[in-house]
Amino acid sequence: MNSPFSAVRDDSRPDAADDARRRKERNVLLICSSVCALIVLDTNIVAVSLPSVARSLHADFSDIEWIVSAYMLAFASLLLPAGSLADRFGRKRMMLLGLGLFALASLGCGLAWSAGVLQIARAVKGVGAAMLLTSALAVIGHVFHTEKDRTHAWAVWGACMGVSMTLAPLLGGVITQLLGWRWIFLLNLPVCLCLGMLVCREVAESSNTGANAARLDPWGSLLLSGGLGCVIWALINANAAGWSSAATLLRAGGGVAMLALFVPVELMQKRPMIDLRLFRHAPFVGAVLAMFGYASSAQVMMTFLPLYLQNAFSYSAIVAGLAMLPFALAMMIFPRVGAALTRYMPLHGVMGLGMALVCAGNVLVAIAAYAGTYWMVLAGMLVTGSGAGLLNGNTQKAIMNCVPRERTGMASGISTTTRFSAIVLAIACLGCVLTVRTGSYLREGLTGANLPQPGGFTDVVGRIVAGDSAAALPALGNSLEALHIAQTGFAHAFALLMLAAAAIAAVSGVLLFKLMGSRKSAVVDALSV
């Protein structure tokens, strides 16, 4: 005879199973969000430490650019193929492999004895980061099915990304000044170990091996990554090799040729990595241009602003990290403002407003670079950060809105690849502006002051721009006047850089407003799935 208590236990079993399932889903969400937060943190934390790295490894500015660009380039070019690999061979397996590669590369970065070794380790780290991001996002999409659950999951994920982006400059400054720049990388080891143990315990394996499984596109991946790499190589090394030198022209020409060849290769694929037919539709082109403009005029400031703050105001790493907080906080707060504005304005109107704010903020920082006052820089950072906050979530949303639901995976890959490719290209192009203009000002200033031109002029300029003035001083004859001319030239060159970024934001804003406001259907329904 059954007791009444057994009936109670039987009735409670479904609730207990449901609670266990929700707990499991919550744990998976927190683990995957932490994995993605680690990538965002590592992407932004390094910028504050760059002057310390330059002084420690005797690196010039082109070396510094490659330390950032090697990571970004590997990350951007491998996002789409990494997503296909995760779908085919298992998302959990890919996440664990990515964590192992990320940890191994972090160890290589922490033990690097030269700038070249650090650059190679950073490139390997970018490969691991691409594997981690795509697999973590795929796991979240696989675990959460209903619209309500997915909305909640992406809100939690976005909050983790915002906190990571906000804390990165300050955390980077604290670690660099108190422990040394190497610990920025070495502290990743215990974090990766803990995350790996949690992934093994909580995340279930999943894959897509059916008829709709993603196909690998090795030729497309090779042409995209090789083309971007050659163009970046040409831009970063042009100042040392010469803009009209055979090496620069060969690298640039080879990169452009590979990127041009990428188009017919993708068009010939039955299931391409990027369906180029999407770009026939004006709203989609406008949304992609919005992402490109946002990343190249606003997000790239996470790399350049810490360098400027430490060079122009002689800030320590910690103080530079604190000085960056207004920019990061505005980026974290204003996505909510953007969400509220979309109730009263069309999406392209909100994004146009964001681009206008980024443009105005960059102009303010450019003016401040001539005046040399932090308070005006602070005002510019707040305005730029506010505009970036309006654009941050809406750029991704705009691209997603332009394709059918069946194409959201590809659209997400295009969005993220565009974002990081834009950052890499902006670092290379704006870095050229910074280096060339600093060198021109230094040459003219030394001539006007009747001071001798230093030997190894290009190397001296690279040291100044990288923040290693102590290494540049002997080449300047230990003349404080010459060093002051060089530092003033850097400030003026940074002002020109900010004006170039403002121009990018202005052009992008006009184009996105015109293209996204097109009367053509915003959703590309005509494309076959």
Side-chain angles (χ1 to χ4, degrees), residues 264-435:
V265 167
E266 290 301 287
L267 290 174
M268 288 188 293
Q269 297 278 354
K270 291 183 178 180
R271 295 177 65 185
M273 182 172 63
I274 297 177
D275 193 338
L276 297 176
R277 291 177 299 168
L278 291 167
F279 290 90
R280 296 175 183 172
H281 300 265
F284 182 80
V285 175
V288 172
L289 282 175
M291 176 64 82
F292 189 92
Y294 155 64
S296 56
S297 63
Q299 270 204 305
V300 74
M301 291 303 113
M302 296 295 287
T303 298
F304 284 114
L305 280 173
L307 193 65
Y308 168 71
L309 292 171
Q310 293 182 69
N311 266 356
F313 301 107
S314 301
Y315 285 168
S316 65
I318 291 179
V319 175
L322 284 170
M324 284 288 294
L325 275 179
F327 180 83
L329 285 171
M331 278 194 70
M332 188 176 72
I333 293 170
F334 267 76
R336 298 183 180 181
V337 177
L341 285 176
T342 52
R343 301 172 189 171
Y344 311 101
M345 299 172 62
L347 183 58
H348 64 278
V350 176
M351 294 170 66
L353 175 61
M355 283 294 185
L357 288 174
V358 169
C359 177
N362 287 347
V363 170
L364 280 175
V365 175
I367 296 171
Y370 279 100
T373 57
Y374 171 70
W375 299 111
M376 192 176 292
V377 176
L378 171 63
M381 283 195 297
L382 284 171
V383 176
T384 301
S386 301
L390 292 179
L391 290 162
N392 190 24
N394 285 326
T395 46
Q396 181 91 4
K397 180 180 177 182
I399 292 176
M400 295 298 188
N401 286 350
C402 289
V403 299
R405 290 186 63 185
E406 296 85 355
R407 291 294 180 92
T408 54
M410 180 185 292
S412 178
I414 292 173
S415 172
T416 312
T417 302
T418 300
R419 180 194 297 251
F420 286 98
S421 298
I423 293 174
V424 172
L425 286 170
I427 288 172
C429 294
L430 297 178
C432 284
V433 173
L434 192 60
T435 305

Side-chain angles (χ1 to χ4, degrees), residues 515-528:
L515 292 171
M516 291 183 65
S518 170
R519 294 182 179 181
K520 295 180 181 179
S521 173
V523 180
V524 189
D525 291 317
L527 289 176
S528 60

Side-chain angles (χ1 to χ4, degrees), residues 24 51 63 83 130 143 155 159 161 204 218 261 263 272 300 410 468-469:
K24 185 81 171 178
D63 294 326
V143 169
M161 299 305 100
L261 190 59
V263 175
V300 74
M410 180 185 292
D468 192 6
S469 299

Side-chain angles (χ1 to χ4, degrees), residues 17-51:
D18 193 50
D19 288 342
R21 178 183 61 81
R22 290 182 179 179
R23 190 182 307 113
K24 185 81 171 178
E25 290 177 350
R26 183 173 63 249
N27 291 342
V28 169
L29 175 60
L30 291 176
I31 291 167
C32 292
S33 296
S34 298
V35 167
C36 295
L38 174 65
I39 299 168
V40 172
L41 193 66
D42 190 80
T43 302
N44 295 301
I45 199 174
V46 176
V48 179
S49 69
L50 291 178

Side-chain angles (χ1 to χ4, degrees), residues 458-502:
T458 302
D459 181 65
V460 171
V461 172
R463 304 285 179 188
I464 292 293
V465 176
D468 192 6
S469 299
L473 188 58
L476 293 170
N478 292 313
S479 169
L480 295 180
E481 182 183 359
L483 182 61
H484 176 71
I485 291 172
Q487 291 174 333
T488 303
F490 170 82
H492 287 192
F494 184 80
L496 187 60
L497 177 153
M498 295 305 301
L499 290 176

